[in-house]
Amino acid sequence: MTTRSWWGWGTVEDAVTPEERRALADRVRAVLPDADLTFHEPPDPSALDLPVSRVEPPSGLYSTDPVDRLAHARGQAYRDVTRNLAGDVGPLPDAVARPRTEQDVVDVLDWCSSHDVAVIPFGGGTSVVGGVEPRDLDRVVTLDLSALDQVLEVDPTSRAARIQAGVLGPSLEAQLKPHSLTLRHFPQSFEFSTLGGWLATRAGGHYATLYTHIDDLTESMRVVTPAGVSESRRLPGSGAGPSPDRLFLGSEGTLGVITEAWMRLQSPPAHRAGASVRFASWDRAVEATRLIAQSGLHPANCRLLDPAEAFLNAGSAQSVLVLAFESADHPVDALLARALELCADGEIVEGASARWRQSFLRMPYQRDAMAQHAMITETFETACTWDRFPALHASVVEAATAALREVCGIGVVTCRFTHVYPDGPAPYYGIYAPGRWGSLTSQWDDIKAAVSEALSNAGGTITHHHAVGRDHMPWYTRQRPDVFHAALAGAKAALDPSNILNPGVLTTRSTAGPTPR
């Protein structure tokens, strides 16, 4: 048995080891020798002054235990972790509802609609954008679907399965394994996030090309709304009007509660090939990555690390492109060989891929450990077209560097591509800077705002796969077309007439019911 951390990422048992912590501290001192790395323990949650519940829900499905409510009050963003470490618990949900059936979900929405109580679907609680936080809401029930965690039906002929939304990634794959099938959607949060959360946030997963988002793996969905149940027809494709599934994919719990979905599956890969290529020039590395993205080779992994990212996480002082191909049907060595031909300016390097993978899996735990030492270690991501990338990259790095200088005095900015498309990359930036204990949250907020302004002004998206939540709303409202917002608000009014579902996220319509203050 493992214990989920109440204040940070993952499990208590998998937190950084003393040796790992010392190595991290040594790495920070090598880059930032003047950083104050005093260690800070998280508070005991039972000793915190937690607010009492403001609702009296029916018995059976609901918990009003203060620590249970605390564990469902925030996601896993850096600002969530730093506030928890400081004992700044903020608002809590008033109750946690754990439905056991779809009818229970209906009953929760009915009760909350009739009592002016907001409902926030929780998923696995791994939101990094304030998507599950009861911010500026009067009375809130958090909806935890963890009991709805089964693969209900498998269609081996079509290679699809009907799956309940509350299933965590490892359990989902374990239930599919006896059928020799896999969803093969592995976001960094895979171990602690749910299918419903992936669908509600349009999560990006394992594949760097082709099947990059959960959208590509979705066959049909079943969604409970306060106005009724929506269930789309199972089809490989359809031209029958706007897609019902597209309405709910990425809706972040504002239009309905996803209870189950038919998902497209595949056979596990039997053939694999991979390599890492080092480039002396960042521009040449970007160009090689573009050529591969536009080649039709469709590598499963095509992640480019700039020199700073490669140094911190893969042991190289030059840009590194990590490539991998896989197939359940045919050898892929020829595909890798052709991709390497497109990297003519690079040099194959051994071991970088394995070091990067291990670092990637440990990154969230390491971020939390660094927060305990008053280090600001966080990321932001975007996407843009290839023609706009040089200008966007220069603008973002300049804005981030200036913000770090102003807020922290010094810092490091890194970049990697998490996904690539024929028409553009998805850059993912990292920030590493010494913070001030007691001011970490406000320091990060200032840096985040400066960078968000820069990438928005440069024509990038405010988020590629982290969703909008509450943190990205100021920039999302600029990015979305006004007429689209009117249509979305109309859908919200029709499906959620009392405005109980995650108010304040995606839409800003005014209505009766629990609205943000």
Side-chain angles (χ1 to χ4, degrees):
M1 287 290 293
T2 56
T3 306
R4 283 293 298 269
S5 169
W6 79 266
W7 63 270
W9 181 261
T11 66
V12 173
E13 292 77 10
D14 288 330
V16 297
T17 64
E19 294 78 12
E20 192 177 1
R21 187 181 294 275
R22 283 193 292 270
L24 286 169
D26 290 344
R27 196 183 309 171
V28 170
R29 291 189 185 98
V31 180
L32 303 168
D34 296 327
D36 178 6
L37 298 182
T38 302
F39 175 72
H40 300 271
E41 286 279 7
D44 179 352
S46 63
L48 296 173
D49 183 18
L50 303 179
V52 298
S53 175
R54 297 162 292 185
V55 302
E56 295 183 10
S59 60
L61 300 177
Y62 301 84
S63 164
T64 56
D65 175 75
V67 176
D68 192 15
R69 291 160 51 218
L70 175 63
H72 288 79
R74 286 179 180 153
Q76 297 291 332
Y78 177 79
R79 67 189 319 273
D80 298 325
V81 170
T82 56
R83 286 180 294 166
N84 289 340
L85 280 173
D88 174 16
V89 297
L92 305 187
D94 296 284
V96 178
R98 290 184 172 86
R100 297 178 292 271
T101 66
E102 186 179 276
Q103 183 57 49
D104 288 343
V105 176
V106 173
D107 293 343
V108 170
L109 296 189
D110 285 347
W111 185 83
C112 290
S113 292
S114 63
H115 288 78
D116 288 341
V117 177
V119 179
I120 299 181
F122 188 71
T126 57
S127 171
V128 292
V129 292
V132 299
E133 182 179 344
R135 189 185 305 170
D136 298 328
L137 295 170
D138 286 329
R139 300 189 301 166
V140 182
V141 164
T142 289
L143 191 63
D144 184 331
L145 297 188
S146 56
L148 300 175
D149 64 348
Q150 296 299 301
V151 173
L152 300 174
E153 188 175 351
V154 175
D155 173 0
T157 304
S158 307
R159 290 201 312 188
R162 182 166 67 98
I163 306 166
Q164 290 182 307
V167 67
L168 293 169
S171 177
L172 169 57
E173 288 296 326
Q175 292 181 67
L176 292 175
K177 189 174 183 180
H179 302 276
S180 300
L181 292 168
T182 174
L183 180 63
R184 204 143 187 81
H185 180 79
F186 300 128
Q188 191 176 37
S189 62
F190 169 77
E191 188 177 358
F192 305 106
S193 54
T194 66
L195 173 63
W198 301 342
L199 296 167
T201 60
R202 297 182 67 195
H206 165 71
Y207 291 102
T209 69
L210 198 59
Y211 304 121
T212 58
H213 278 76
I214 196 69
D215 313 32
D216 305 309
L217 307 177
T218 304
E219 191 175 67
S220 73
M221 293 168 58
R222 185 173 171 88
V223 184
V224 174
T225 82
V229 176
S230 172
E231 182 172 16
S232 59
R233 182 174 295 185
R234 284 187 64 203
L235 294 167
S238 174
S243 165
D245 294 335
R246 292 283 172 176
L247 177 64
F248 293 107
L249 284 164
S251 61
E252 301 190 31
T254 63
L255 301 180
V257 179
I258 301 165
T259 56
E260 60 184 61
W262 276 94
M263 303 301 298
R264 300 183 176 104
L265 308 176
Q266 54 188 295
S267 300
H271 306 275
R272 292 184 174 90
S276 298
V277 185
R278 181 169 56 202
F279 293 85
S281 164
W282 167 249
D283 290 340
R284 293 291 183 89
V286 171
E287 177 65 7
T289 307
R290 180 184 68 81
L291 293 175
I292 292 172
Q294 295 176 343
S295 68
L297 294 170
H298 303 309
N301 197 0
C302 186
R303 283 170 168 79
L304 176 62
L305 320 179
D306 78 354
E309 180 78 17
F311 175 74
L312 289 172
N313 297 300
S316 173
Q318 295 179 318
S319 300
V320 173
L321 177 60
V322 180
L323 289 168
F325 290 84
E326 60 184 44
S327 172
D329 177 73
H330 52 267
V332 293
D333 301 88
L335 299 178
L336 175 62
R338 175 55 189 152
L340 293 176
E341 289 177 358
L342 296 174
C343 299
D345 293 328
E347 173 191 3
I348 295 177
V349 58
E350 300 295 332
S353 177
R355 288 193 294 273
W356 156 252
R357 175 174 171 76
Q358 180 60 29
S359 178
F360 176 78
L361 294 174
R362 296 297 291 167
M363 278 179 189
Y365 289 105
Q366 293 173 351
R367 179 206 63 179
D368 290 0
M370 288 294 91
Q372 290 184 278
H373 293 277
M375 283 291 297
I376 298 174
T377 308
E378 185 58 304
T379 61
F380 51 91
E381 38 84 49
T382 186
C384 64
T385 52
W386 289 110
D387 64 311
R388 290 186 176 185
F389 173 68
L392 178 142
H393 181 65
S395 177
V396 168
V397 170
E398 180 182 4
T401 302
L404 287 173
R405 188 181 306 116
E406 179 179 350
V407 174
C408 303
I410 194 174
V412 176
V413 183
T414 71
C415 179
R416 68 181 187 265
F417 292 171
T418 61
H419 304 77
V420 292
Y421 304 87
D423 52 343
Y428 196 103
Y429 293 89
I431 295 290
Y432 304 86
R436 298 184 303 276
W437 187 255
S439 301
L440 297 177
T441 303
S442 60
Q443 286 182 291
W444 167 247
D445 286 347
D446 289 344
I447 297 166
K448 172 74 171 178
V451 170
S452 296
E453 284 292 319
L455 67 85
S456 180
N457 291 337
T461 177
I462 189 59
T463 177
H464 172 260
H465 59 270
H466 280 172
V468 174
R470 291 168 175 81
D471 295 346
H472 285 155
M473 276 296 288
W475 297 278
Y476 172 69
T477 56
R478 293 187 220 164
Q479 180 175 327
R480 69 188 180 198
D482 290 341
V483 292
F484 171 77
H485 177 237
L488 186 61
K492 172 78 167 172
L495 297 171
D496 181 21
S498 298
N499 192 28
I500 64 165
L501 289 172
N502 219 357
V505 174
L506 296 185
T507 62
T508 52
R509 76 179 181 90
S510 178
T511 183
T515 55
R517 293 195 299 271

